[in-house]
């Protein structure tokens, strides 16, 4: 019954936005129409779909979400929440329920442009940038986002600019237990040629874990020639999350993503990194820490489309209780992509006998002069490492805690910006503290 | 200081016994060497003394400085002053050598009711020892043994040993895979510990090491039992004749 309700809600929202669509540029209106048709044609994926076999998303469509916009933006509340999560300070952009909240945000430093609302949607050249990578068959929720997003966050780091401080982007949902929210945040990150930047995206909820919330986010990243981006993406809210990341890299560019999922009832991330210029380097790293009945599913695609590109992928998960983790990582080496060097590893640590991991690393190689390695492991703590530490005087509990924390933090070694890795490290410690008894077991 | 009596042990998950009644006494200040063919049980003895639960003691006793060693957890054995340099040091990704070693030192200090060593004191001490032992300074920041060459791992064990300043040092084939210079520095590290009331037990296949660390007693371990004990000349004899006298047709150096 509720499934119909949720679909009804989305349909009502589509109908309700017809005036907005009418006012938008015709290319955008066309994109939305096409996306909406794609979403309707594909329908809600079930476990019979190849890409959704291990993840049943039916529960997402069994909740009541509201459409009404909130009256006043609760900036005080947002800042309280930021303080609680230790995210205050630095350049910050706040989006609430998918809309830019300028009064909660700070101004951009020299060389970085922030566009939103009509400024973004009417800007020159957007038609060549938006939706090019995130639309597409097989991603029904990206299509849904394209059809329904109300505001666009477009962050542009101008050519040659080197931004040393990370920019924080916060996507906040106001959903609570009484007021459900189904939001569609849309972000475009453009790092022009030769520019360097660091961006941290956080998805968080103003209310507790029982908020009725679904966030359906799409982030597109465009890297110009020799551009560099350090990109942290972290899901901190307790609800449902669909996250799509599509990265398009030009020659010699360097992209480094760390995806941190420490929260969420059901999280599905579809992350793709396209090495579309010679000599580009792309990294997708991820850390998932789950407990209770959480389910986190990361699907990644790395496209080696040009010669001499390198990629690195390390996905790790720690599972407690009855939690479940899915990893599906595909590396695709296109014909002609010679001298490709691709490394992929998926490592999972089980703290409980009831937790389940589904891992499926895939290599698809159509060039002959390439170096590709991949591997997956699922296991418990290394007993011999534990003994080695004990033989040097560390207690059993101390040794186990140290090993679990080291297992997790290996991923954070790929986050070279100290402010971000320190923050992530603290979050990891907080998570581990709650699982102390399982670790000692 | 260490008194092993009629020690029998096996792999916990398997029925087959590996150690068939070992007797061995080490007095304060003594250096003992154990030699023996591959698979005779040398490392098993070392692991049992360290408290590795992979092995199970089925009979016998071990006393260390008046305490029942077999009753102690591995960490308490370490804190009581036993240090084992392992034949195959374990690689631990994600934990730096410095962090690990400081945690080990502080665990031992806490056990003896001493205050923690702060990061600066630790670094000063570590740097001095590293210089003595020819350990490169960047090794401190690398994850424990990860990507270390065979020789670097062994040097790292000796570095840990000298930092932890044990009462009884047990070295399991620390000389294997070392070049001549490394062998000398390792021997110097061990000899620096020698004397006073410290005990040292080295397991080796090579008489060469014993030129540098001259033992007081040499034991021949064959098939899970001490077949013979003698002075340092026993090592020379083994080097020449191998283990044929012990019913094994295998040269001593493999
Ligand atoms: N964990 C284990 N599981 C199964 N068998 C084992 C284990 N440890 C030791 N053994 C067996 O016990 C015997 C003694 O092994 P040990 O490692 O003690 O020999 P060693 O004297 O140290 O040999 P080497 O000179 O080659 O180092 C061998 O037959 C070995 O296969
Ligand atoms: Mg051995």
């Amino acid at each position: 019954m509720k499934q119909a309700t949720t679909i009804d809600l989305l349909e009502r929202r589509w109908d309700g936005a017809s005036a907005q669509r009418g006012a938008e540029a015709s290319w955008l209106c066309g994109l939305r129409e096409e996306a909406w048709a794609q979403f309707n044609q594909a329908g809600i994926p079930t476990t019979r779909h190849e890409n959704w076999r291990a993840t049943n998303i039916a529960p997402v469509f069994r909740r009541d979400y509201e459409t009404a916009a909130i009256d006043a933006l609760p900036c005080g509340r947002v800042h309280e929440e930021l303080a609680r999560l230790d995210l205050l300070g630095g350049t910050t952009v706040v989006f609430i329920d998918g809309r830019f909240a300028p009064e909660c945000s700070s101004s951009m430093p020299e060389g970085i442009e922030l566009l939103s609302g009509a400024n973004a949607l009417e800007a020159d050249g957007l038609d060549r940038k938006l939706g090019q990578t995130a639309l597409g068959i097989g991603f029904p929720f990206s299509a849904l986002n394209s059809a329904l997003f109300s505001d666009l966050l477009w962050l542009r780091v101008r050519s040659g600019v080197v931004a040393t401080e990370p920019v924080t982007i916060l996507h906040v949902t106001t959903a609570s237990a009484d007021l459900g929210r189904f939001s569609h945040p849309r972000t475009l990150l453009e790092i022009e040629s030769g520019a360097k930047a660091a961006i941290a995206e956080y998805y968080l909820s103003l209310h507790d874990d029982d908020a009725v919330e679904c966030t359906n986010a799409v982030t597109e990243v465009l890297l110009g020639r020799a551009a560099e981006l350090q990109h942290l993406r972290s899901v901190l809210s307790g609800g449902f999350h669909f996250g799509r990341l599509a990265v398009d890299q030009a020659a010699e560019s360097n992209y480094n993503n760390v995806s941190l999922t420490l929260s969420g009832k059901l999280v599905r991330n579809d992350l793709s990194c396209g090495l579309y210029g010679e000599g580009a380097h792309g990294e997708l790293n991820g850390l998932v820490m789950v407990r209770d009945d959480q389910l986190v599913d990361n699907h990644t695609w790395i496209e080696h489309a040009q010669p001499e590109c390198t990629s690195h992928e390390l996905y790790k998960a720690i599972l407690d209780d009855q939690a479940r983790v899915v990893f599906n990582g595909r590396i695709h080496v296109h014909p002609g992509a010679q001298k490709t060097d691709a490394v992929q590893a998926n490592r999972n640590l089980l703290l409980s006998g009831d937790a389940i991991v589904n891992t499926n690393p895939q290599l698809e190689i159509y060039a002959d002069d390439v170096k590709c390695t991949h591997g997956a492991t699922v296991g418990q703590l290394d007993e011999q490492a534990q003994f080695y530490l004990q033989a040097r005087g560390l207690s059993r509990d101390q040794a186990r805690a140290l090993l679990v924390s080291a297992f997790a933090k290996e991923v954070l070694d790929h986050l070279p910006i100290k402010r971000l890795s320190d923050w992530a490290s603290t979050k990891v410690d907080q998570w581990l503290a709650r699982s102390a008894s399982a670790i000692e077991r | 200081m260490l008194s092993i009596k009629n020690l029998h042990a096996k792999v916990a998950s398997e029925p087959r016994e590996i150690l068939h009644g070992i007797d061995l006494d080490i007095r304060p200040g003594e250096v003992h060497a154990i030699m023996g063919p591959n698979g005779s049980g040398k490392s098993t003895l070392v692991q049992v003394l360290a408290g590795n639960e992979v092995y199970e003691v089925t009979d016998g006793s071990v006393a260390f400085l008046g305490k029942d060693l077999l009753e102690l957890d591995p960490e308490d054995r370490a804190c009581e002053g036993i240090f084992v340099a392992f034949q195959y040091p374990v690689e631990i990704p994600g934990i730096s050598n410095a962090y690990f070693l400081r945690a080990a030192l502080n665990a031992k200090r806490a056990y003896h009711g001493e205050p923690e060593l702060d990061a600066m004191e630790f670094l000063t001490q570590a740097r001095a020892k590293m210089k003595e032992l020819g350990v490169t300074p960047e090794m401190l920041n690398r994850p424990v043994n990860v990507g270390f060459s065979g020789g670097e791992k062994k040097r790292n064990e000796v570095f840990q040993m000298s930092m932890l300043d044990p009462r009884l040092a047990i070295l399991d084939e620390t000389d294997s895979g070392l070049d001549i210079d490394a062998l000398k520095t390792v021997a110097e590290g061990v000899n620096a510990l020698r004397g006073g009331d410290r005990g040292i037990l080295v397991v080796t296949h090579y008489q060469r090491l014993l030129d540098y660390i001259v033992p007081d007693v040499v034991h021949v371990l064959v098939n899970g039992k001490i077949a013979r004990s003698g002075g340092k000349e026993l090592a020379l004899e083994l080097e020449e004749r191998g283990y044929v006298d012990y019913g094994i047709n295998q040269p001593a150096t493999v």
Side-chain angles (χ1 to χ4, degrees):
Chain A
M1 302 305 132
K2 289 276 174 59
Q3 169 138 1
T5 321
T6 305
I7 300 292
D8 276 355
L9 166 109
L10 295 170
E11 267 166 15
R12 260 182 286 135
R13 193 163 320 166
W14 170 257
D15 293 339
S18 73
Q20 185 193 339
R21 278 197 301 281
E24 283 170 354
S26 63
W27 69 267
L28 181 55
C29 186
L31 177 86
R32 289 189 188 277
E33 302 264 0
E34 190 188 334
W36 180 246
Q38 260 185 19
F39 173 71
N40 281 306
Q41 199 184 349
I44 309 292
T46 69
T47 49
R48 284 192 302 276
H49 290 68
E50 178 61 20
N51 275 341
W52 298 84
R53 248 184 314 148
T55 302
N56 176 15
I57 54 170
V60 176
F61 297 90
R62 269 189 231 124
R63 308 297 301 265
D64 279 319
Y65 306 94
E66 284 288 329
T67 38
I70 37 163
D71 310 327
L73 298 176
C75 268
R77 258 308 277 132
V78 170
H79 283 121
E80 262 171 45
E81 193 58 19
L82 294 190
R84 196 181 67 79
L85 291 166
D86 209 10
L87 287 172
L88 279 179
T91 304
T92 303
V93 184
V94 179
F95 265 60
I96 299 177
D97 295 328
R99 279 179 198 280
F100 181 45
E103 54 285 44
C104 307
S105 307
S106 55
S107 61
M108 287 292 120
E110 189 94 27
I112 303 185
E113 257 176 35
L114 167 72
L115 295 120
S116 69
N119 287 340
L121 295 179
E122 285 161 21
D124 253 4
L126 183 65
D127 55 333
R128 277 175 278 112
K129 290 166 185 164
L130 195 72
Q132 294 306 304
T133 44
L135 200 66
I137 311 296
F139 299 101
F141 296 104
S142 301
L144 181 65
N145 177 295
S146 294
L148 294 181
F149 76 86
S150 39
D151 201 353
L152 168 70
L153 163 59
W154 184 358
L155 208 65
R156 179 154 61 183
V157 183
R158 301 314 313 234
S159 182
V161 169
V162 176
T164 44
E165 282 300 306
V167 174
T168 303
I169 299 175
L170 294 151
H171 282 290
V172 181
T173 171
T174 58
S176 65
D178 313 317
L179 187 75
R181 291 259 169 234
F182 199 130
S183 60
H184 307 273
R186 183 64 173 242
T187 308
L188 174 62
L189 305 176
E190 191 179 3
I191 318 299
E192 294 185 340
S193 60
K196 286 185 188 172
I199 293 171
E201 266 185 292
Y202 304 91
Y203 292 87
L204 49 114
S205 162
L206 282 192
H207 299 280
D208 350 356
D209 286 358
D210 56 356
V212 180
E213 177 232 344
C214 182
T215 297
N216 173 33
V218 173
T219 299
E220 288 165 286
V221 179
L222 300 174
L223 268 81
R225 189 177 186 87
E228 271 185 49
L229 178 63
Q230 305 284 337
H231 188 190
L232 170 68
R233 189 178 186 285
S234 184
V235 176
L236 299 167
S237 59
F240 301 123
H241 185 95
F242 297 114
R244 171 92 172 100
L245 169 75
V247 182
D248 182 331
Q249 292 190 242
E252 308 291 331
S253 63
N254 193 336
Y255 175 73
N256 177 325
N257 181 274
V258 172
S259 165
L260 189 63
T261 310
L262 303 175
S263 201
K265 234 188 290 298
L266 191 161
V267 177
R268 163 65 178 245
N269 290 319
D270 288 301
L271 315 171
S272 53
C273 180
L275 300 159
Y276 297 125
E278 272 187 41
H281 175 72
E283 292 202 17
L284 293 181
N285 300 300
L287 176 62
V288 175
M289 296 172 88
V290 280
R291 59 163 57 90
D292 303 326
D293 57 354
Q294 281 178 270
L295 165 58
V296 174
D297 176 347
N298 280 299
H299 269 57
T300 69
W301 289 263
I302 294 185
E303 300 293 335
H304 276 271
Q306 291 291 326
E308 314 227 10
C309 291
T310 51
S311 67
H312 178 277
E313 184 169 17
L314 174 66
Y315 262 78
K316 287 189 141 185
I318 297 181
L319 299 90
D320 199 355
D321 305 321
Q322 298 83 254
R324 286 189 45 210
V325 162
V326 180
F327 174 77
N328 196 101
R330 179 162 170 266
I331 296 176
H332 179 188
V333 181
H334 296 228
Q338 304 298 3
K339 307 269 183 238
T340 285
D341 191 341
V343 183
Q344 183 195 65
N346 175 235
R347 312 248 172 269
N348 301 281
L349 178 62
L350 301 173
L351 299 178
S352 142
D354 299 326
I356 298 175
V357 172
N358 285 284
T359 173
N360 184 24
Q362 290 167 274
L363 287 180
E364 219 173 300
I365 303 177
Y366 300 103
D368 46 22
D369 184 12
V370 301
K371 221 167 87 193
C372 293
T373 58
H374 72 164
T377 54
V378 181
Q380 270 92 29
L381 270 193
D382 178 352
E383 302 266 340
Q384 286 314 304
Q386 180 193 319
F387 170 66
Y388 188 74
L389 296 176
Q390 282 181 269
R392 294 293 177 258
L394 277 70
S395 72
R396 186 176 178 281
D397 293 353
Q398 218 184 339
R400 291 181 73 82
L402 188 55
L403 288 171
V404 177
S405 141
F407 176 89
K409 288 177 184 174
E410 192 194 352
V411 176
L412 306 185
D413 289 347
H414 295 274
L415 205 56
I417 293 172
K418 198 169 172 328
R419 206 183 108 198
L420 299 182
S421 60
D422 285 351
W423 175 84
S425 176
T426 310
K427 295 293 151 211
V428 166
D429 289 338
Q430 287 168 358
W431 191 96
L432 290 175
R434 280 187 56 196
S435 276
S437 62
I439 292 167
E440 285 166 16
R441 203 144 52 207
Chain B
M1 65 188 314
L2 182 76
S3 171
I4 306 176
K5 293 212 180 338
N6 188 34
L7 184 68
H8 290 255
K10 65 183 199 68
V11 175
S13 58
E14 288 174 20
R16 184 169 68 99
E17 192 175 87
I18 301 170
L19 301 181
H20 306 296
I22 304 264
D23 289 287
L24 185 73
D25 269 294
I26 300 178
R27 282 185 300 242
E30 285 182 349
V31 176
H32 289 233
I34 295 183
M35 301 181 83
N38 292 131
S40 56
K42 303 180 297 296
S43 293
T44 301
L45 174 62
V46 168
Q47 296 281 352
V48 165
L49 292 176
N52 193 339
E53 285 178 6
V54 167
Y55 302 93
E56 186 186 324
V57 172
T58 49
D59 201 3
S61 65
V62 181
F64 176 64
L65 297 172
K67 291 202 165 107
D68 180 354
L69 190 72
L70 301 178
E71 280 298 303
L72 298 179
D73 288 331
E75 57 269 34
D76 293 343
R77 299 180 194 200
C79 293
E80 287 288 342
I82 289 189
F83 180 92
V84 173
F86 292 100
Q87 184 175 1
Y88 303 109
V90 181
E91 298 192 3
I92 310 182
I95 302 175
S96 77
N97 245 330
Y99 186 92
F100 160 60
L101 197 49
R102 190 153 82 90
L105 271 168
N106 282 332
K108 196 169 173 184
R109 292 173 75 99
Y111 185 87
H112 294 288
E114 295 164 18
E116 276 208 350
L117 208 58
D118 71 35
M120 267 324 289
E121 291 168 316
F122 167 77
L123 268 184
T124 317
Q125 215 175 312
R127 288 210 179 105
K129 293 276 188 207
M130 294 178 99
K131 215 168 151 194
E132 265 173 46
L133 295 169
V135 176
T136 52
E138 61 267 19
M139 208 146 115
L140 264 187
N141 297 321
R142 282 171 60 181
V144 180
N145 294 326
V146 177
F148 286 25
S149 75
E152 283 172 335
K153 283 184 185 165
K154 299 299 174 81
R155 267 190 214 246
N156 194 26
E157 294 286 285
V158 173
F159 167 55
Q160 291 174 24
M161 177 183 79
S162 70
M163 287 293 286
L164 287 162
D165 192 19
R167 295 290 299 276
L168 174 67
I170 303 173
L171 296 96
D172 190 359
E173 290 198 34
T174 304
D175 53 333
S176 297
L178 292 187
D179 61 40
I180 292 289
D181 290 341
L183 185 72
K184 282 186 191 159
T185 34
V186 163
E188 277 163 24
V190 175
N191 283 330
L193 282 181
R194 195 165 183 166
D197 55 4
R198 288 201 192 83
I200 294 170
L201 177 64
V202 293
V203 173
T204 183
H205 285 293
Y206 305 100
Q207 140 69 21
R208 196 181 56 183
L209 176 74
L210 304 179
D211 285 341
Y212 298 104
I213 307 171
V214 182
D216 298 302
V217 188
V218 175
H219 308 274
V220 187
L221 184 68
V222 180
N223 222 340
K225 281 183 101 119
I226 305 249
R228 204 171 145 202
S229 302
K232 60 175 186 292
E233 59 297 337
L234 185 50
L236 286 168
E237 187 189 308
L238 290 174
E239 179 101 334
E240 251 167 48
R241 299 184 46 83
Y243 295 107
V244 281
D245 299 348
Y246 304 89
I248 284 165
N249 202 0
Q250 184 195 7
T253 50
V254 179

